[in-house]
Amino acid sequence: MATLRDIRRKISSVKSTQQITKAMKMVAAAKLRRAQENILKTRPYAYRLNQVLGHVAGLVDRSIHPLLEEREAKRIGIVAVTADRGLCGAFNQNILRKATEELEAQTKDVKDVFVIAIGRHARDYFRIRPYPVIYESYDFFSHLEFANAVRISEEIIRLFTQHELDHIHLVYNEFKSAIQQNLTVEQLLPIQPVKPDIGRRKLEYLYEPSPDQILDALLPKQIDIQLWRVLLESNAAEQGARMTAMEMATDNASEMIDKLTLYYNRVRQATITKEITEIVGGAEALNK
Amino acid sequence: MSEDDKSFMLEILTPDRVIFSGEIIYLRAPGIEGSFGVLKNHIPFLTALDIGEIEVETSDQKYFFAAGGGFAEVLNNVVSILAETAERADEIDVERAKKARERAEARLRARTEGVNANRARAALVRAMTRLKIASKI
């Protein structure tokens, strides 16, 4: 049986762990607020840009711009967006599992697959797995800037236009609410056409200047903005996941402390009872 | 929607916020190949935007915005302006724009050539657009 001192020590250890998880929860809540603001501000622009480009992609000749080119998908790139840090529940594991599933599925179709690892967890995971990592970027979520998205975007555009990759998919956590993330798989390149909602009429745009000049300016921006949005989504989702995970850890610690305290009292009582019995027994022996 | 309803949707978006969203009856915006006006039932139109002034008329009010380039799509009575930067006339920081104008002028006087001169020229145009629009309220 554990001695009283052992139990006391255990209780105080759980208590200090609880203090840490509580603090982490509060830090995550504060960061979540900022991250949530950022993603909510960026979404309207990103969605609309996506839509406008989708319209254009459905109209123009695809060979007009290298970023619209539809090739036979032989070399597939999967962009796995995880966090740099852990202690956020199943946040990273979900991404890595989904990304691995995608990689396996593509490999079955006899495709060459490559990983673009974003976030420290993706990098550490794929470094020791059989899928080749073609590009990695990590340790930037704590000071996330638009330049981070641009750097990744430039590399992805290079890989695509130099035919190193024919299709590029994103796997990331979309921010839904503080307690919910949506595991999302999206095609980034080539850009998917979106059918405009105009009924049966045939759509013909008037362009100023020419379509290829507009696309030249819009397409790289589109990739920048979409990646920026995805990084912001993932960042907000990560803070939400961490907040929930730490809240649960704090609750679990409370429960554990309650149980241990109960146990402690029981042991204490048992010890006292035993001592009394011993004393009474001793006294009786003397009386005889 | 009745026949004499002249309104259509406008959204002005920048990467970090929604500047304007609502029903309007007239829009004028600085296209790269010249200023253009939009009324209801405009044909589908996609254009790059220059730095300049966006004028918006709703059924009861007029608004002015300073736009720093971007794109506009007109489709099916929905106009989307995707601007690099945009500010409503009453949000413009006049002091900041004045300082920016002075800075840009000083740089242009120093006659540095190449990228810096181009940037200074663009900054000057932006600052002057802001000041012009701010003076309209």
Side-chain angles (χ1 to χ4, degrees):
Chain A
M1 195 169 68
T3 66
L4 286 176
R5 200 177 348 137
D6 289 339
I7 304 172
R8 249 196 326 259
R9 223 179 254 162
K10 186 97 189 256
I11 290 177
S12 83
S13 136
V14 175
K15 262 191 189 146
S16 60
T17 305
Q18 187 189 29
Q19 269 170 359
I20 293 169
T21 57
K22 211 186 239 166
M24 283 186 74
K25 186 201 136 189
M26 289 198 294
V27 171
K31 284 188 180 169
L32 170 67
R33 198 147 10 98
R34 225 173 326 137
Q36 187 173 354
E37 249 169 55
N38 286 337
I39 181 62
L40 295 183
K41 281 191 309 196
T42 305
R43 262 187 202 157
Y45 183 89
Y47 286 164
R48 189 52 67 94
L49 181 61
N50 209 10
Q51 204 182 14
V52 171
L53 267 175
H55 293 161
V56 181
L59 288 175
V60 295
D61 180 4
R62 287 242 161 198
S63 58
I64 196 172
H65 194 279
L67 285 177
L68 286 174
E69 197 182 337
E70 284 269 20
R71 297 188 287 263
E72 197 194 335
K74 282 186 197 146
R75 297 163 69 88
I76 311 278
I78 303 281
V79 184
V81 186
T82 60
D84 282 329
R85 294 153 147 244
L87 288 181
C88 42
F91 182 89
N92 292 315
Q93 285 84 330
N94 284 344
I95 291 291
L96 297 172
R97 183 163 26 80
K98 189 79 199 167
T100 311
E101 270 173 37
E102 291 287 317
L103 291 163
E104 273 168 9
Q106 300 287 3
T107 315
K108 263 202 201 98
D109 291 346
V110 210
K111 305 254 164 69
D112 286 334
V113 291
F114 300 88
V115 176
I116 294 159
I118 310 296
R120 178 170 280 280
H121 273 256
R123 175 214 179 225
D124 290 349
Y125 180 87
F126 284 109
R127 206 169 40 165
I128 49 166
R129 298 244 165 6
Y131 303 107
V133 176
I134 202 166
Y135 179 69
E136 57 184 35
S137 177
Y138 56 95
D139 274 354
F140 59 80
F141 277 105
S142 53
H143 42 267
L144 186 56
E145 281 173 3
F146 188 59
N148 298 118
V150 173
R151 209 169 316 131
I152 300 169
S153 159
E154 276 167 2
E155 186 61 23
I156 285 180
I157 289 173
R158 189 188 68 77
L159 289 169
F160 186 78
T161 48
Q162 297 186 354
H163 294 216
E164 291 201 32
L165 295 174
D166 302 319
H167 268 216
I168 297 169
H169 299 271
L170 291 164
V171 182
Y172 68 98
N173 277 308
E174 188 189 48
F175 174 76
K176 183 109 186 276
S177 70
I179 49 163
Q180 218 185 339
Q181 302 90 41
N182 274 351
L183 187 54
T184 310
V185 183
E186 257 172 32
Q187 178 168 328
L188 180 69
L189 280 170
I191 287 162
Q192 298 275 75
V194 177
K195 220 164 164 49
D197 183 21
I198 51 162
R200 262 173 293 143
R201 273 181 299 140
K202 190 167 155 34
L203 175 62
E204 195 64 63
Y205 271 112
L206 198 66
Y207 296 95
E208 264 179 34
S210 61
D212 53 316
Q213 270 170 300
I214 288 193
L215 289 173
D216 246 358
L218 263 182
L219 287 169
K221 187 207 280 295
Q222 149 81 353
I223 308 297
D224 290 353
I225 293 282
Q226 293 313 323
L227 277 167
W228 174 232
R229 181 183 66 84
V230 164
L231 293 183
L232 288 177
E233 295 274 7
S234 181
N235 189 39
E238 176 197 340
Q239 302 306 340
R242 177 164 303 116
M243 193 179 88
T244 323
M246 287 303 113
E247 183 158 3
M248 265 160 66
T250 309
D251 289 351
N252 288 344
S254 292
E255 206 176 291
M256 203 174 209
I257 290 168
D258 285 350
K259 269 189 197 147
L260 282 171
T261 312
L262 197 68
Y263 181 50
Y264 175 81
N265 286 335
R266 212 171 271 151
V267 172
R268 191 173 61 98
Q269 205 176 15
T271 320
I272 292 167
T273 314
K274 202 173 111 204
E275 267 171 34
I276 291 175
T277 330
E278 273 166 10
I279 292 166
V280 172
E284 291 227 323
L286 284 178
N287 278 345
K288 280 190 181 155
Chain B
M1 234 185 248
S2 67
E3 274 301 304
D4 48 270
D5 182 5
K6 290 183 198 137
S7 64
F8 56 99
M9 264 301 283
L10 170 70
E11 275 200 341
I12 303 179
L13 307 166
T14 65
D16 57 0
R17 68 193 173 118
V18 179
I19 310 285
F20 182 93
S21 173
E23 297 267 314
I24 63 161
I25 54 173
Y26 174 69
L27 163 77
R28 195 171 48 75
I32 201 98
E33 294 184 351
S35 174
F36 63 94
V38 181
L39 290 169
K40 198 186 179 183
N41 295 326
H42 193 284
I43 59 161
F45 181 45
L46 187 64
T47 181
L49 294 179
D50 207 352
I51 300 166
E53 172 188 284
I54 300 176
E55 184 186 332
V56 172
E57 223 178 290
T58 65
S59 50
D60 53 0
Q61 235 182 326
K62 259 192 185 189
Y63 298 97
F64 293 94
F65 301 88
F71 293 86
E73 184 202 38
V74 185
L75 180 65
N76 203 24
N77 284 326
V78 179
V79 183
S80 318
I81 293 184
L82 297 162
E84 305 278 315
T85 64
E87 288 132 38
R88 213 172 59 209
D90 54 325
E91 292 171 350
I92 292 170
D93 186 339
V94 177
E95 284 309 307
R96 204 178 139 214
K98 273 187 187 150
K99 280 198 189 115
R101 182 179 64 184
E102 279 158 27
R103 249 197 331 269
E105 279 169 349
R107 265 191 212 137
L108 285 175
R109 265 198 302 276
R111 281 167 197 263
T112 41
E113 268 316 307
V115 182
N116 280 335
N118 285 339
R119 265 169 54 189
R121 231 164 277 145
L124 183 62
V125 175
R126 273 198 305 272
M128 287 180 39
T129 309
R130 285 201 174 104
L131 289 173
K132 188 178 138 210
I133 292 163
S135 68
K136 287 202 175 182
I137 45 166

